[in-house]
Amino acid sequence: MVKKTLEIYSVELSGTKDIDQTDKGDGKEKYRGLKNCFEPKKNHQKEELKKELDLDDHKLSIKELEKKYGTNIITGLSSTQAAELLAQNGPNALTPPKETPEIIKFLKQMVGGFSILLWIGAILCWIAYGIQYSMNKSSSLDNAYLGCVLALVVILTGIFAYYQEAKSTNIMATFNKMIPQQALVIRDSEKKTIPAEQLVVGDIVEIKGGDRIPADIRLLSVQGCKVDNSSLTGESEPQARSSEFTHDNALETKNIGFYSTTCLEGTATGMVINTGDRTIIGQIASLASGVGNEKTPIAIEIEHFVHIVGGVAISIGILFFIIAVSLKYHVLDSIIFLIGIIVANVPEGLLATVTVTLSLTAKRMAKKNCLVKNLEAVETLGSTSVICSDKTGTLTQNRMTVAHLWFDNQIFIADTSEDHSNQVFDQSSGTWASLSKIITLCNRAEFRPGQESVPIMKRVVVGDASETALLKFSEVILGDVMEIRKRNHKVAEIPFNSTNKFQLSIHKTDDPNDKRFLLVMKGAPERILEKCSTIMVNGQEQPLDKSTAEAFHTAYMELGGLGERVLGFCHLYLPADEFPESYSFDVDTMNFPTSNLCFVGLLSMIDPPRSTVPDAVTKCRSAGIKVIMVTGDHPITAKAIAKSVGIISANSETVEDIAKRLHIAVEQVNKRDAKAVVVTGTELKDMSPEQLDELLTNYSEIVFARTSPQQKLIIVEGCQRQNAVVAVTGDGVNDSPALKKADIGIAMGIAGSDAAKNAADMVLLDDNFASIVTGVEEGRLIFDNLKKTIAYTLTKNIAELCPFLIYIIVGLPLPIGTITILFIDLGTDIIPSIALAYEKAESDIMNRKPRHKKKDRLVNQQLAIYSYLHIGLMQAVGAFVVYFTVYAQEGFKPSILADLRVEWENGNVNDLEDSYGQQWTWYQRKYLEWTGYTAFFVGIMVQQIADVLIRKTRRNSIFQQGLFRNKVIWLGIASQIIIALILSYGLGSVTALNFTMLRPQYWFVAVPYAILIWVYDEVRKLFIRLYPGSWWDKNMYY
Amino acid sequence: MRRQLRSRRAPASPYGYRYRLDDQDEANQNYLADEEEEAEEEARVMVVPDLEEEEEEEGQEEEEEEIEEEKEEEEGQGPPTGNAWWQKLQTVSEYLWDPEKRMSLARTGQSWRVMIRPFAHSLNFNFNVSEPDTWQHYVISLNGFLQGYNDSLQEEMNVDCPPGQYFIQDGDEDEDKKACQFKRSFLKNCSGLEDPTFGYSTGQPCILLKMNRIVGFRPELGDPVKVSCKVQRGDENDIRSINYYPESASFDLRYYPYYGKLTHVNYTSPLVAMHFTDVVKNQAVPVQCQLKGKGIINDVINDRFVGRVIFTLNIET
């Protein structure tokens, strides 16, 4: 079995498969899921790995084991031995997935995105300063200073991004942190409780029901121990354990307990044979971490965007460097221009904004029970086009519930909603009275005491799933079940077992006049029917004839066809003369009749779908997301659930359905007629990748049943071959490769194993499929809103860039300084661009198809052109008007500004004449220049207010969207104004910042341009709405 | 008239002026020509109808439109010349600001800012007395600069106004203003009339101090502002004597206020000549010339031309 496991996970490693050796018993075939695809790739690695992972301790006798591990099962290891072994083998814990060292993460933030451009700028600044300094010792510190500012900007944004990421990782870290596990171990002949981490090979440990097994252990003595291996093998049934060697395969044999599985009941003593990463789970986990994480779609989009902006910045920079040099500017000056152009072009604050935006959404999603581990995964969910969902727990409530009843020849439907509140079937029949009595009495399940205040459906029950379902069902309908049982004292009982396939109990009745005993029985319907000679109809016993038997069979088949687990119920009042009150029942000899009973009814149970799921699936449908169910359950059950939640829609048929309807053989059906298909793991196993591709493309409604969790990986890869963005849900350890492989892995927060949560990008705290849908909605919204944020941010880059270009070509005094630009990018613009993340969706985003990975880009041509060339240029004009206004009012009319640059910047010219004949010293001009910076800054700021308002919507009018629905936008606008006011009036006297106190009226000069921008965009949106699909729509909608 | 207005705008472009600074020699000839030309044009300019004093904001708005259009004009997209309202607007903009009340002018610093002549790209005066080539350009520069101050020209163009008081000219803001005479001969030994080398040939250089023009600026009444120079750092005796011309070493109030170059066409900035008659030779002497008087600021660190000017003299023999 070790080898088998290996094969399951060797997909990424070697792909070693061997059909013959993995042949197993019925129902275990799922383990071979991946075999076929990789069969031809047998190679030598197999041997190597096999050797490494060989586990044969289960074959050894206790004596041999003691010898092998140098221990004694009575006295255990000595403390010194244990300490030595601990030092030698390391602690008994899984090595967490390799984490990038913090410093690397930090450095990555420092050089990622635009940072590298800014570093180049900073270094160029220092070089320029160095050259200036070597030529003239008293040269101004401006360049060195600017270099420092640029470096500071990179470092600060880097620290910020790092902090944001660390914060979101921390959420996960706290989530991951488990209560330190304790283990009861025998050492130095004493029982000690030690942290499970300190266990070493050879330790003798004791486990009891409820414990997590602390390491791989070979069981030495066992008392009724059952374990839940589902996280390892996917088997949902509890597995009995014993100390005997039962199977060659370590995973199959009963005398091994696996690390991290749970002991459900009983007690056992075992010897630790593997610890930490050498455990089976540890090996699987480390293999799973070998599956590379795919780049998230949003990461690709942002990279694409960085490339665009970086490309524009560098090419404009170099172009103008060349122009400047050929215009006979000094090379050093040209370098400074280059820096200015780069700084103007790069939206320094944008990446930080994106991070904040994503983490805001992550927070919002966490509130809706989607815990996002990887920030970028927030958006991935939005672009998801296929969801491979588990059934149990995700689509269903993960508890058996009574769904149907059959008595009086009639099928009744029970309420399966989460609270059972609305049981509407006819309860007046005498048959129901008898049936309810059987349900109540023939049941060993009990509520844990002390839960009177808890709603019935939420109470904790001791007992198996079906009995729990019956108990809760009867408690809801009849009231206090325990009281009824008390009144009907139980005198004898035969519990359910797999040979009998029935359960029986004998009770005194609660009717004091009736001295008869009541025998009640439930079990597999066909077995129950065999024991009956009569049937109760409308409270009257009738002989069981052929027609009633047929009715029974029809009902049984019908309920079974719904994928439900059916139980039959019968009873018999024991005649008082034969069984007096003092009669002693003996369950071993069965001194009472178990035939010729009276059949009362059938009752069927199912793990019902969560009530929110059908709605969620419909939403997915309309959102163009394909929902594929992948389950280990029986195809019939799977199909029934798929139908009830809408994964297979009401009017679509599978090939089998068509065959049945037309009464023809399955082979004769045209496969194209069927929309839905149910594929079992066995069929999947025999499919080639091409066949799987065909299957995935041809059918819109697919259910995979009887699959192993491992086969999920094949399904995921199949979907990804169709260019789909795949979301996968999973909970088991062996789901982790699929979770990693998926574009977004979603682990279950309640049922999920740690390995699954580690591998996943997102954790569903309530295990509810509907939460995925809200996640999708949020993801799509954030994509739209990021578009708006980016469009907003890009716009002002043109207004920042134009001054430099015009400065170089026309020779105006510099309209805006590099540092002032940084104050826009990292000051006034930050909060409004984050505020756009709070924007509500413009239309129902769940009604459109998921975006195409390659076609629907975050930053497309339309967005770039509209932002840069439409709004951006208007903004530049507006800002220049403010600039010219200030200069003109101070005395320099635009006509004399052209080509004034050289004199303007010459420190020796101290009587430069303006348009009115006034004469200006150098410092006066410098001050005016700073006033110009401030004016230009204010001009951009004012127009950015209009910009943020127009970016609220891309298609709708701003009035349709509501001006005040997003309050954060107004907060952002207020922040813009306040920051600008502080910069101008508060810090206006700090020379280094190059801000001056601006005359109040200059603040309003750009207002008409802001209004113009707003009107222009409203017109754009109006035409888009009026003429969908037109040239305008195609080119103006971003 | 409108055509004339426009032609008058042409010399107002920065080119003419900058020439003067960069290329003293040639520009100095042009300077006079410019002034004359302007003066002629000015004479032909008709009085533009009264512009009511406007609210500041109104004015500003109009100005703003104007600027827009001017910018367009710059880019060669201006409306056709024949367009009446365009010209009207231009006329308006020319006289929009009120120089007296300085409504559209926002210069905050109403303080004395001074500059010296000859202008030689730097404030270090290095020359060798025995090598005329080293000081010839100073002489040319000064000579050129003083062309506009020639007595004949001043007498012809300007009026002799009473000293010791402002020369206030009421009337419409767009009306041409008269200018007070400042004759070259006021500068005596530094006028270049008697000594055409302005003392450079004898190692006794003349340096002219002039105040930067500020529209509407009026020095405080009372004691006139005096100029005084001394060694900035080092031995005070490095400069043993300085003569000032005019002898009062001050700027007379009659040259104020200045009404701006559009109307105050022939305005001649008053000068104070400093004649360094006995300076230590063969070493750099840092000189600081300060204005002294009531309410004069002369110690601003950022702007070293407020109320003072600092230069070095290095006279070699």
Side-chain angles (χ1 to χ4, degrees):
Chain A
M1 188 60 212
V2 174
K3 188 164 48 57
K4 214 188 297 170
T5 317
L6 215 202
E7 283 151 8
I8 292 157
Y9 289 100
S10 55
V11 186
E12 322 77 46
L13 278 187
S14 61
T16 54
K17 297 290 153 194
D18 188 329
I19 215 165
D20 302 311
Q21 290 183 24
T22 51
D23 209 2
K24 289 173 290 169
D26 188 44
K28 299 280 157 61
E29 283 180 0
K30 41 187 161 175
Y31 292 118
R32 294 182 301 160
L34 304 183
K35 183 167 48 200
N36 281 5
C37 319
F38 302 96
E39 201 170 6
K41 289 199 236 160
K42 277 186 203 174
N43 60 38
H44 64 279
Q45 278 189 28
K46 176 181 141 194
E47 291 308 313
E48 204 180 302
L49 284 161
K50 187 179 172 190
K51 203 169 128 201
E52 212 180 330
L53 301 177
D54 214 3
L55 180 66
D56 54 5
D57 290 335
H58 54 294
K59 296 175 189 163
L60 302 178
S61 73
I62 291 173
K63 283 280 163 258
E64 286 168 312
L65 279 170
E66 282 186 321
K67 208 174 130 197
K68 182 175 175 190
Y69 292 111
T71 183
N72 182 302
I73 62 162
I74 309 299
T75 62
L77 293 170
S78 71
S79 298
T80 37
Q81 264 181 312
E84 264 170 43
L85 283 168
L86 187 65
Q88 190 185 319
N89 295 333
N92 172 37
L94 295 185
T95 324
K98 227 179 247 164
E99 294 239 331
T100 334
E102 295 297 302
I103 183 74
I104 301 284
K105 275 193 205 165
F106 184 69
L107 288 180
K108 259 192 186 159
Q109 298 288 2
M110 291 288 162
V111 296
F114 297 118
S115 306
I116 204 84
L117 271 182
L118 294 180
W119 278 122
I120 294 173
I123 289 165
L124 284 177
C125 275
W126 288 323
I127 292 175
Y129 174 71
I131 297 172
Q132 277 178 343
Y133 185 78
S134 64
M135 292 192 309
N136 177 6
K137 297 272 185 264
S138 61
S139 61
S140 93
L141 272 164
D142 281 2
N143 285 329
Y145 176 64
L146 180 59
C148 293
V149 171
L150 288 181
L152 197 71
V153 164
V154 182
I155 292 171
L156 284 182
T157 47
I159 289 175
F160 179 76
Y162 172 77
Y163 167 74
Q164 279 292 341
E165 211 182 85
K167 217 168 71 179
S168 69
T169 328
N170 276 347
I171 305 175
M172 219 33 228
T174 53
F175 187 80
N176 270 343
K177 205 157 272 172
M178 287 168 300
I179 316 133
Q181 213 191 328
Q182 301 288 319
L184 186 61
V185 65
I186 301 176
R187 279 192 190 166
D188 305 323
S189 316
E190 278 176 55
K191 282 190 187 179
K192 290 179 185 169
T193 304
I194 61 165
E197 278 204 352
Q198 293 177 12
L199 283 182
V200 294
V201 168
D203 267 333
I204 308 299
V205 293
E206 287 186 5
I207 54 168
K208 59 179 192 308
D211 285 355
R212 249 165 53 116
I213 298 178
D216 280 0
I217 55 173
R218 159 70 205 262
L219 300 172
L220 305 169
S221 62
V222 173
Q223 290 84 39
C225 175
K226 277 188 176 173
V227 294
D228 174 12
N229 272 358
S230 61
S231 72
L232 184 63
T233 62
E235 298 158 300
S236 51
E237 298 296 312
Q239 308 284 307
R241 296 282 99 169
S242 73
S243 54
E244 276 93 50
F245 162 56
T246 55
H247 201 286
D248 265 351
N249 193 306
L251 276 189
E252 292 289 298
T253 190
K254 287 192 169 171
N255 59 354
I256 301 272
F258 296 102
Y259 176 49
S260 93
T261 60
T262 320
C263 174
L264 296 173
E265 54 185 79
T267 57
T269 311
M271 182 191 294
V272 175
I273 52 172
N274 273 318
T275 58
D277 289 334
R278 287 170 301 280
T279 58
I280 300 290
I281 289 276
Q283 286 165 10
I284 292 173
S286 57
L287 287 175
S289 66
V291 182
N293 246 341
E294 307 275 303
K295 230 180 211 164
T296 59
I298 195 73
I300 296 170
E301 289 306 319
I302 288 175
E303 207 166 81
H304 174 236
F305 159 71
V306 168
H307 285 162
I308 290 180
V309 173
V312 169
I314 290 175
S315 43
I316 294 186
I318 291 179
L319 178 71
F320 275 83
F321 181 77
I322 294 167
I323 290 176
V325 170
S326 53
L327 281 177
K328 305 258 169 12
Y329 281 94
H330 198 277
V331 176
L332 218 55
D333 287 340
S334 306
I335 290 178
I336 304 296
F337 301 158
L338 179 65
I339 295 161
I341 288 171
I342 290 177
V343 171
N345 245 314
V346 170
E348 288 84 6
L350 187 58
L351 293 189
T353 315
V354 170
T355 319
V356 174
T357 308
L358 288 176
S359 61
L360 283 174
T361 307
K363 259 189 208 155
R364 208 152 53 197
M365 283 166 84
K367 265 190 215 146
K368 293 178 181 169
N369 291 320
C370 291
L371 191 65
V372 182
K373 272 174 64 187
N374 173 0
L375 272 191
E376 286 165 354
V378 167
E379 192 278 328
T380 314
L381 204 49
S383 42
T384 297
S385 53
V386 174
I387 301 176
C388 293
S389 175
D390 267 351
K391 180 181 81 71
T392 312
T394 313
L395 297 172
T396 65
Q397 300 172 18
N398 197 18
R399 59 150 183 252
M400 278 310 212
T401 306
V402 175
H404 293 96
L405 304 103
W406 179 80
F407 55 87
D408 295 347
N409 270 332
Q410 226 181 319
I411 290 180
F412 299 92
I413 300 168
D415 179 22
T416 56
S417 68
E418 270 83 346
D419 56 3
H420 269 225
S421 52
N422 195 18
Q423 301 292 3
V424 288
F425 62 90
D426 178 21
Q427 296 172 10
S428 58
S429 160
T431 319
W432 165 247
S434 303
L435 183 58
S436 63
K437 198 161 240 177
I438 307 170
I439 295 169
T440 318
L441 298 179
C442 188
N443 192 334
R444 298 178 66 201
E446 285 175 18
F447 288 113
R448 281 243 175 97
Q451 298 188 82
E452 283 70 27
S453 57
V454 183
I456 295 168
M457 296 319 288
K458 291 203 172 121
R459 289 186 201 167
V460 180
V461 175
V462 183
D464 74 17
S466 330
E467 295 225 305
T468 305
L470 293 173
L471 174 63
K472 287 184 174 172
F473 180 68
S474 44
E475 178 88 7
V476 167
I477 296 176
L478 303 173
D480 195 341
V481 169
M482 306 314 274
E483 183 56 36
I484 298 172
R485 287 197 201 159
K486 237 182 243 165
R487 278 191 268 125
N488 296 273
H489 181 69
K490 183 160 41 181
V491 291
E493 177 177 47
I494 302 175
F496 185 86
N497 70 48
S498 43
T499 29
N500 285 348
K501 296 221 164 131
F502 68 79
Q503 178 181 356
L504 169 159
S505 59
I506 301 169
H507 300 260
K508 286 180 181 165
T509 62
D510 51 359
D511 182 354
N513 303 324
D514 193 347
K515 296 292 176 218
R516 292 178 300 173
F517 285 102
L518 174 64
L519 181 150
V520 289
M521 186 193 264
K522 73 167 188 231
E526 63 277 12
R527 298 297 289 271
I528 297 293
L529 193 70
E530 278 169 23
K531 297 181 190 297
C532 295
S533 55
T534 57
I535 184 164
M536 185 177 277
V537 176
N538 297 327
Q540 304 302 314
E541 264 186 56
Q542 291 176 5
L544 186 68
D545 55 23
K546 228 176 178 180
S547 65
T548 39
E550 209 148 273
F552 159 85
H553 276 292
T554 320
Y556 182 27
M557 290 313 288
E558 191 176 340
L559 296 177
L562 294 173
E564 294 174 5
R565 184 187 293 179
V566 190
L567 288 177
F569 293 83
C570 63
H571 72 183
L572 182 68
Y573 282 96
L574 300 175
D577 45 347
E578 272 181 63
F579 301 96
E581 234 177 307
S582 57
Y583 190 83
S584 146
F585 292 94
D586 183 344
V587 292
D588 291 325
T589 55
M590 305 257 247
N591 55 355
F592 47 86
T594 56
S595 58
N596 293 326
L597 312 176
C598 170
F599 189 85
V600 180
L602 289 172
L603 194 148
S604 68
M605 287 169 293
I606 196 163
D607 179 10
R610 288 166 180 269
S611 52
T612 49
V613 169
D615 198 35
V617 171
T618 320
K619 267 191 168 176
C620 283
R621 272 275 154 68
S622 60
I625 300 170
K626 196 162 160 178
V627 183
I628 294 177
M629 184 200 273
V630 184
T631 174
D633 257 359
H634 198 275
I636 294 175
T637 319
K639 192 174 159 191
I641 293 291
K643 280 210 154 172
S644 65
V645 299
I647 288 179
I648 294 180
S649 44
N651 51 2
S652 62
E653 296 173 305
T654 63
V655 174
E656 290 78 13
D657 289 336
I658 297 173
K660 204 169 146 197
R661 176 163 56 86
L662 301 176
H663 301 291
I664 52 172
V666 172
E667 291 73 29
Q668 290 172 294
V669 178
N670 180 3
K671 285 189 177 160
R672 296 266 176 253
D673 293 344
K675 264 172 71 188
V677 67
V678 179
V679 185
T680 63
T682 347
E683 288 163 9
L684 180 61
K685 178 185 78 190
D686 296 329
M687 274 184 199
S688 67
E690 290 74 35
Q691 283 172 310
L692 179 61
D693 288 355
E694 204 190 310
L695 178 91
L696 290 171
T697 31
N698 288 346
Y699 296 97
S700 57
E701 299 168 351
I702 307 173
V703 171
F704 289 98
R706 277 259 175 256
T707 51
S708 69
Q710 289 79 9
Q711 283 180 322
K712 265 189 194 169
L713 188 58
I714 300 183
I715 298 165
V716 170
E717 283 171 337
C719 293
Q720 284 176 334
R721 278 197 298 274
Q722 324 293 320
N723 257 332
V725 176
V726 187
V728 170
T729 68
D731 45 20
V733 173
N734 43 16
D735 284 336
S736 41
L739 289 173
K740 274 223 145 164
K741 182 70 200 166
D743 295 281
I744 177 164
I746 304 167
M748 297 299 135
I750 302 168
S753 62
D754 290 341
K757 285 177 197 165
N758 267 333
D761 304 296
M762 189 177 277
V763 179
L764 277 194
L765 293 179
D766 59 354
D767 291 14
N768 188 350
F769 184 80
S771 305
I772 302 181
V773 179
T774 40
V776 169
E777 208 167 345
E778 289 290 346
R780 290 187 172 191
L781 183 59
I782 199 64
F783 186 80
D784 285 3
N785 285 348
L786 275 182
K787 259 190 171 183
K788 295 174 184 173
T789 302
I790 290 178
Y792 168 76
T793 316
L794 286 188
T795 306
K796 58 145 190 316
N797 278 357
I798 283 295
E800 290 168 354
L801 180 66
C802 287
F804 277 94
L805 307 188
I806 290 175
Y807 168 73
I808 293 170
I809 295 175
V810 184
L812 302 175
L814 187 59
I816 188 165
T818 315
I819 292 174
T820 323
I821 288 175
L822 290 177
F823 272 107
I824 298 177
D825 288 0
L826 298 170
T828 54
D829 259 12
I830 291 288
I831 299 178
S833 54
I834 293 173
L836 283 170
Y838 289 94
E839 205 50 53
K840 298 274 181 299
E842 276 175 68
S843 53
D844 194 352
I845 40 178
M846 294 306 274
N847 274 336
R848 59 177 198 225
K849 297 264 161 290
R851 74 183 180 92
H852 191 285
K853 255 202 275 190
K854 301 218 166 71
K855 285 187 202 141
D856 306 325
R857 311 306 308 247
L858 181 65
V859 177
N860 51 21
Q861 199 192 336
Q862 290 90 327
L863 186 147
I865 289 182
Y866 186 68
S867 300
Y868 275 146
L869 298 184
H870 293 232
I871 305 297
L873 277 185
M874 287 165 81
Q875 224 177 54
V877 168
F880 264 109
V881 167
V882 189
Y883 163 85
F884 282 123
T885 307
V886 168
Y887 272 72
Q889 294 219 344
E890 298 282 328
F892 289 91
K893 293 198 174 176
S895 50
I896 74 159
L897 283 177
D899 225 5
L900 194 60
R901 192 185 79 87
V902 178
E903 277 195 313
W904 182 273
E905 289 175 358
N906 185 344
N908 287 322
V909 176
N910 280 294
D911 50 0
L912 185 66
E913 205 171 299
D914 66 16
S915 308
Y916 299 110
Q918 308 185 96
Q919 293 166 324
W920 296 66
T921 65
W922 179 82
Y923 185 81
Q924 281 180 301
R925 295 197 302 272
K926 207 73 208 163
Y927 189 83
L928 175 55
E929 193 177 315
W930 295 337
T931 310
Y933 292 178
T934 315
F936 208 95
F937 165 84
V938 168
I940 292 180
M941 186 277 293
V942 167
Q943 292 177 87
Q944 280 292 80
I945 293 177
D947 195 21
V948 73
L949 287 176
I950 65 168
R951 300 301 182 184
K952 278 167 71 80
T953 55
R954 293 187 295 154
R955 181 183 290 274
N956 289 350
S957 161
I958 192 165
F959 297 110
Q960 286 169 302
Q961 181 80 349
L963 258 177
F964 298 98
R965 247 169 77 194
N966 181 355
K967 306 253 176 350
V968 191
I969 288 273
W970 293 99
L971 187 79
I973 292 173
S975 83
Q976 267 182 312
I977 296 169
I978 290 167
I979 291 175
L981 285 172
I982 290 173
L983 285 175
S984 175
Y985 297 115
L987 304 172
S989 47
V990 182
T991 324
L993 296 181
N994 299 353
F995 280 96
T996 63
M997 299 193 192
L998 210 57
R999 292 172 85 196
Q1001 59 264 42
Y1002 295 147
W1003 291 71
F1004 300 97
V1005 177
V1007 170
Y1009 291 85
I1011 293 168
L1012 181 68
I1013 285 175
W1014 173 71
V1015 170
Y1016 182 82
D1017 194 63
E1018 277 298 315
V1019 170
R1020 176 190 74 95
K1021 290 170 192 162
L1022 179 69
F1023 279 118
I1024 286 174
R1025 291 197 302 275
L1026 284 182
Y1027 306 106
S1030 64
W1031 175 90
W1032 186 273
D1033 187 20
K1034 279 184 200 129
N1035 288 283
M1036 297 293 273
Y1037 182 68
Y1038 55 87
Chain B
M1 164 221 142
R2 276 158 190 162
R3 195 186 50 75
Q4 287 161 357
L5 264 180
R6 297 158 65 75
S7 73
R8 206 187 62 181
R9 277 168 58 87
S13 79
Y15 297 93
Y17 180 64
R18 214 167 27 258
Y19 255 89
R20 248 178 282 153
L21 293 168
D22 290 345
D23 209 329
Q24 298 283 336
D25 213 349
E26 222 181 301
N28 286 331
Q29 324 300 321
N30 292 343
Y31 185 75
L32 192 64
D34 271 8
E35 296 256 342
E36 272 171 352
E37 208 177 299
E38 274 185 46
E40 271 173 50
E41 281 173 14
E42 203 63 34
R44 276 180 271 137
V45 168
M46 279 166 59
V47 170
V48 173
D50 227 344
L51 269 175
E52 293 299 321
E53 281 188 3
E54 280 159 297
E55 289 290 317
E56 195 162 22
E57 248 148 80
E58 263 179 54
Q60 189 195 328
E61 265 172 35
E62 272 172 274
E63 177 106 17
E64 177 194 313
E65 285 168 73
E66 155 65 11
I67 285 147
E68 244 262 289
E69 278 138 9
E70 274 190 15
K71 203 174 75 194
E72 281 171 18
E73 192 184 43
E74 249 176 63
E75 293 157 8
Q77 294 166 353
T81 3
N83 193 322
W85 71 258
W86 163 244
Q87 291 180 346
K88 165 90 178 149
L89 251 177
Q90 237 182 348
T91 321
V92 165
S93 85
E94 294 282 329
Y95 299 101
L96 233 177
W97 61 285
D98 179 352
E100 192 68 36
K101 302 200 173 87
R102 302 179 62 258
M103 285 243 296
S104 60
L105 291 175
R107 275 177 67 171
T108 43
Q110 281 232 31
S111 49
W112 295 78
R113 283 179 166 82
V114 290
M115 188 57 188
I116 49 171
R117 284 288 178 274
F119 179 77
H121 299 285
S122 88
L123 295 168
N124 299 324
F125 294 88
N126 296 325
F127 62 94
N128 194 323
V129 176
S130 52
E131 292 172 34
D133 279 356
T134 58
W135 46 259
Q136 196 63 46
H137 61 281
Y138 296 124
V139 174
I140 295 170
S141 167
L142 283 174
N143 221 356
F145 177 70
L146 288 175
Q147 286 301 313
Y149 291 85
N150 282 343
D151 289 15
S152 54
L153 190 68
Q154 286 294 325
E155 277 161 13
E156 183 193 333
M157 308 293 297
N158 295 344
V159 294
D160 188 10
C161 33
Q165 63 185 68
Y166 298 131
F167 183 49
I168 293 174
Q169 302 172 68
D170 292 324
D172 292 329
E173 61 205 28
D174 52 330
E175 217 169 78
D176 282 353
K177 303 290 190 292
K178 294 192 169 60
C180 274
Q181 291 176 358
F182 189 99
K183 292 182 186 168
R184 191 170 174 167
S185 55
F186 293 174
L187 300 176
K188 310 269 166 60
N189 288 341
C190 283
S191 64
L193 298 173
E194 288 125 51
D195 175 6
T197 67
F198 298 91
Y200 284 83
S201 58
T202 56
Q204 296 173 315
C206 279
I207 286 172
L208 306 181
L209 190 73
K210 70 180 183 70
M211 202 200 114
N212 277 359
R213 296 181 203 173
I214 303 170
V215 171
F217 174 64
R218 298 177 196 186
E220 279 191 56
L221 286 165
D223 289 339
V225 176
K226 279 198 172 247
V227 178
S228 99
C229 296
K230 60 177 185 205
V231 176
Q232 191 207 6
R233 268 169 298 141
D235 189 356
E236 289 205 8
N237 296 323
D238 285 353
I239 301 173
R240 278 184 286 274
S241 81
I242 307 170
N243 293 334
Y244 299 96
Y245 311 107
E247 281 82 358
S248 62
S250 64
F251 298 98
D252 197 281
L253 290 182
R254 62 178 158 168
Y255 300 104
Y256 303 94
Y258 174 51
Y259 289 97
K261 76 172 176 191
L262 296 179
T263 49
H264 216 161
V265 182
N266 294 324
Y267 182 79
T268 0
S269 294
L271 304 169
V272 171
M274 299 159 302
H275 197 191
F276 295 88
T277 48
D278 193 355
V279 181
V280 168
K281 303 289 190 299
N282 298 322
Q283 81 176 64
V285 181
V287 185
Q288 172 168 273
C289 292
Q290 281 180 311
L291 302 185
K292 296 216 167 129
K294 211 172 131 202
I296 300 286
I297 305 160
N298 54 20
D299 53 358
V300 176
I301 297 161
N302 283 329
D303 192 348
R304 293 185 302 125
F305 295 88
V306 178
R308 60 173 173 168
V309 61
I310 297 163
F311 53 93
T312 51
L313 290 175
N314 189 356
I315 306 162
E316 289 166 25
T317 47

